[in-house]
Amino acid sequence: MSTTTRRRNTVAALLTATALAVSLGACSSSGSGSSAATKAAAVPSTASGSTAPGSAASGTAMDDQPFGSACTAVPKDGAGSFAGMAKDPVATAASNNPLLSTLVTAVKQAGLVDTLNSAQNITVFAPTNDAFAKIPKATLDAVLADKDKLTKILTYHVVPQRLAPTALTGAHKTLETDDLTVTGTTPDFTVNTTAKVLCGNVQTANATVYIVDTVLMPAS
């Protein structure tokens, strides 16, 4: 074999080896990309449109629900349930809630049923029967018999705007005109340093209700 022939064979072998290496490299790169794409597709997305558990958006959703220890005393179905109360204006809804029968009696005594039922977008701090029971009977009977004083006390429990749990903390002017002050965060709120929210964010057709364990008294 001549020197020229050997040189040609050597060049051809080198070209073949180079082409094989390039081909193998391309296959390896393609396989790696495919694997990465498969792994990426397997990871759940938490971008807008999906919510990871425990995220801020998930916490915000909780603010749409009633909260508090006394919520378990609310009937599961019927007119006095959360779903039933949401269909009625606030005074009517309260009349179907077994926790609020004394409050309903007071509202009727003051002639405020129509006023509360016709109001739009209000917040009501609703004392339970046990809250009224903290007041000595003679004092409570005297208040129930004094329409002006009773009206003043009851309207102090009403804020002329709907307050979601996220907006509850702070000072709020009432229908009675005095301010009440709420401190805390969900689910632990206190009104005027003494009244605890037992069941909050209860929706009626025209109001958001926070059931409290103490009757609130205006300063003036």
Side-chain angles (χ1 to χ4, degrees):
M1 181 183 296
S2 67
T3 300
T4 299
T5 301
R6 281 199 297 270
R7 285 176 178 173
R8 288 175 179 171
N9 289 343
T10 299
V11 170
L14 288 173
L15 291 174
T16 300
T18 300
L20 179 61
V22 170
S23 175
L24 289 174
C27 289
S28 175
S29 175
S30 173
S32 174
S34 175
S35 176
T38 301
K39 290 178 181 178
V43 178
S45 171
T46 56
S48 59
S50 63
T51 303
S55 68
S58 177
T60 301
M62 292 175 63
D63 288 327
D64 293 335
Q65 304 299 320
F67 63 83
S69 58
C71 290
T72 56
V74 175
K76 300 298 182 186
D77 50 37
S81 67
F82 292 128
M85 291 179 70
K87 298 176 182 178
D88 292 323
V90 64
T92 302
S95 70
N96 294 317
N97 188 312
L99 296 175
L100 305 176
S101 58
T102 306
L103 173 62
V104 171
T105 297
V107 168
K108 290 178 179 178
Q109 193 77 9
L112 292 174
V113 172
D114 290 341
T115 299
L116 293 177
N117 276 348
S118 61
Q120 295 299 313
N121 298 321
I122 58 176
T123 295
V124 176
F125 293 89
T128 63
N129 298 337
D130 288 342
F132 281 98
K134 293 179 182 179
I135 302 173
K137 186 178 185 305
T139 302
L140 180 58
D141 288 344
V143 170
L144 290 174
D146 187 334
K147 186 174 181 179
D148 289 341
K149 183 177 291 186
L150 182 60
T151 299
K152 187 177 182 66
I153 292 172
L154 292 176
T155 54
Y156 183 64
H157 290 73
V158 182
V159 174
Q161 59 179 310
R162 279 189 188 259
L163 296 174
T166 52
L168 195 59
T169 298
H172 307 286
K173 187 169 291 296
T174 67
L175 288 184
E176 185 274 335
T177 71
D178 279 351
D179 287 356
L180 58 74
T181 302
V182 182
T183 57
T185 56
T186 307
D188 299 313
F189 289 106
T190 301
V191 187
N192 288 356
T193 74
T194 57
K196 297 290 186 182
V197 173
L198 301 178
C199 182
N201 203 32
V202 179
Q203 302 300 313
T204 74
N206 67 328
T208 298
V209 177
Y210 293 88
I211 299 173
V212 295
D213 68 354
T214 303
V215 177
L216 306 173
M217 294 295 182
S220 57

